Amino acid sequence: MVNHEAYEIYPLISLSSQVESVAAYDDNLLIGTRQGFLFMYNVESGTEEKYNVQLMRLNKSFSKKAISQLEVVPDYQLLICLTDNIVQVHDINSINFNLITQIQRTRGATYFTLNIRREKSLTGGGAVLVRMAVVVKRKLQLYYLKNNEFMQLGEDINLSEVPRSVIWSQESLCIGYKGEYALVELTDNKHSELFPTSGSRSSDPCMVKVSERAYALCRDSQTVFVNVKGETEITTALRWSDVPLALAWDEPYVLAALPDKVEVKTPDAAGLTQTLSEMTKVRFLVSCNQGRVYAANLSQVWAITSVNIAKQRKLLLDSKQFQLALKLTAISDECEDDKREKVHHIQTLLAYDLFSNKQFHESMKEFQKLKTDPYDVIRLFPELLPHQSGENNPLAGPPLVGKDLETGLLALIDYLTDIRHPLKLEVANNNDAKSKTALHLLQIIDTTLLKCYLQTNDALVAPLLRLNYCHLSEAEKVLRKMGRHNELVILYQTKGQHRKALELLKSEKAIERTIKYLQHLGPDQVGLILEFANWVLTEAPEEGLRIFIEYNPDDEQPPKPRVLDFLLRSHPSVVIPYLEHVVHVWKDTNPLFHNALVHQYRERSMQEQTDVSRRLLLEFLEKSQNYIAESVLAQFPNEGFLEERAVILGRLGRHDESLAIYIRVLGDIEKALKYCEKVYDANNSKCKGVYVSLIKQILDPDSCPPPSSILSPKTATPDVELALKIMDEHATQLDPIETLSYLPENVPIGRIQSFLLKALHKSISERRRAQLLKGLLYAEHLQCQELRFRLQAQKVLITELNVCPVCKKRFGNQSALVRYPNGDVVHYSCQDK
């Protein structure tokens, strides 16, 4: 508990009459006595911090009985008093406080309370609503003020016993009985018990209104704060040295009258206190203007006046009581600019003090509210600053270690994360000097966050680095020092330092990470990709090939011709798998790759001399439509790869030469027939005579010189029987006249009867089909002619009276017109409207 000089005491008045009630407003003090006297004093601040007290009025015949209670309504210049158990309304401006009205329904009253509410209007003025609650036995009577008279407000409220004290806030009444406190909700007349006034014996209530939504209620020697709903407003209760007899609220202080002194406290955990022992047996504490409270016993009155706020503030700052200094500054009469400046200064001191007291999260919240330069906050942690900077914050205190350092870093992380987001938006949306400053600040923040994560939660390092503004050299230095090579690679990658990243991965022989890294580089980095793919392909060719083939066809990737050239020169073992992926998976039709694959298959076949490799080559030559046959043919000499050469010659339309290879060199009539089946096309002049060429070479083996000197003996002589068999099986695919020209003259007519009948049937069918098609086309021609004549016979009469249905204008002599099928005629320019 800290002592603080918040108030000074000034004796004002000594009376011979016994004081029964006290009220105050502006510079006026009213005192009611047991004898029924009413005193009105003017109390003004004088020189040398004293008061000038002047008796303005005295009415000794104000009442024949004791004046139990006094309240003033300054806005209407009314004095409300309770005397002789009845509530009266007086004119406070008249010399003798003339009686305006006596509320007869209140006869038997023992207590009353006022609720004064100022309602602002849109025009800037406003009305003052005055309501009153009066205790009459076990009932509460409610009134509202109208034309200086109190009118009844609703039904009376029935209570369980007679209240000793009542406070009215908003639509709630706080009631103090002898023994307990309760709340009454006016909206639904709901009664709620709060807590006893004492823990051991039944005692009188002691309470005061703190605001329009909160009360301070005494329970023995403690004071509890509750709101209008009965909920605890402040968790910490005030503890007094004795049971209070009266309370007063003078923001931000609570004053309590104890039997032998007055104590002052603040309603917070700081527990600031002041003891005013010059006053004894005080029964009344009445708040007047801000900073002035009147205290009175049975015969004396004192003014309790707050010490100058500037003086208090200095004392509070010296004792590091920043929250109270802020509250006092907020209610001071200083100009708004001075207030803002002082509040900012106090909050800054508070933030640094919270930090020095190891309340790191609270400190960071204050820095954030103050919009303190983040670099000044970071300087509180010297270990996070660059080593060469030599800077630290003079308010930082000794370096943090152990658990304190970890807690402080976690608070700093929360702070930096919160301020980072708006800075990122500013940098992304602007490109001016301000955004450059924000970018520099982001560098500091992200570099600091990196250092914090490394010390607290290294799992967050990688996510930060993937989208960071870290200072490259500083971040690089920290990560190298900590041996965080994986994170260092991410840093290099996000900063575009790809060579450094790849050198680091190479030094660690990180094949898989190198592959993935290279896959994410764009085509503009093809030189770097090929340079660092080299060692991966050397170490693991199959894995390394993934660098170039794990793409979708539409993805950006290194130029394929350049990759192919690189693989051909440096890693020939993976050329075929690469080309197969390009051709078969990506469906690339570029002849470059198809030619290259043919060449690679041929080279492998020559080396391996296996049926599998030859079959792959032959199948590719037959299926691919994208290699350049002229270029490929030169790779296949006459003495080798003859079947492959036959396929290529066929692709060039040189069917005689292809058939010569199958018949004369290979001696394989079956393959020759299959070849004819593949290439025959009745609509292609180059391909429809392929069966005739087959018959010709069977009947005259020397008609087409073979490409090889090694000939098959099977087909060295003419084979008429084979020719007749093929003619019979493929009669519809042979030109009969040309075919018969190659047959020997000694072949009996009966042997070719079947062939001739099939050929004749085909010829007749084709003629009939042609005639039928001619007839159909002629009929269609006649229909079109008839439609043309019918349409041309239609007429449209246009006169000056005709109007275009689109633009509503008449047709002129020079108008170009359009007629729709439904008969409408419009201007040419209106046809699309």
Side-chain angles (χ1 to χ4, degrees), residues 434-451:
K434 186 178 179 183
S435 68
K436 289 180 181 177
T437 303
L439 179 61
H440 178 67
L441 190 54
L442 266 176
Q443 279 190 334
I444 295 172
I445 288 172
D446 279 13
T447 307
T448 305
L449 279 173
L450 172 65
K451 295 176 181 179

Side-chain angles (χ1 to χ4, degrees), residues 152-181:
Q152 187 172 346
L153 178 64
E155 298 294 326
D156 293 352
I157 298 174
N158 294 316
L159 304 172
S160 59
E161 55 182 292
V162 180
R164 298 296 182 94
S165 183
V166 180
I167 301 174
W168 190 340
S169 287
Q170 297 181 3
E171 301 305 312
S172 170
L173 290 166
C174 184
I175 300 174
Y177 297 108
K178 185 177 178 63
E180 70 171 347
Y181 297 102

Side-chain angles (χ1 to χ4, degrees), residues 591-592 594-603 606 617 621 627-642 644-645 648:
L592 171 68
H594 289 257
N595 285 5
L597 188 53
V598 170
H599 176 71
Q600 291 298 314
Y601 279 155
R602 187 185 68 83
E603 291 293 314
M606 291 176 65
L617 171 60
L621 287 170
Y627 61 85
I628 300 174
E630 293 91 339
S631 302
V632 170
L633 183 63
Q635 301 174 16
F636 292 86
N638 292 337
E639 299 302 327
F641 295 98
L642 291 172
E644 289 82 357
R645 185 177 177 84
I648 299 168

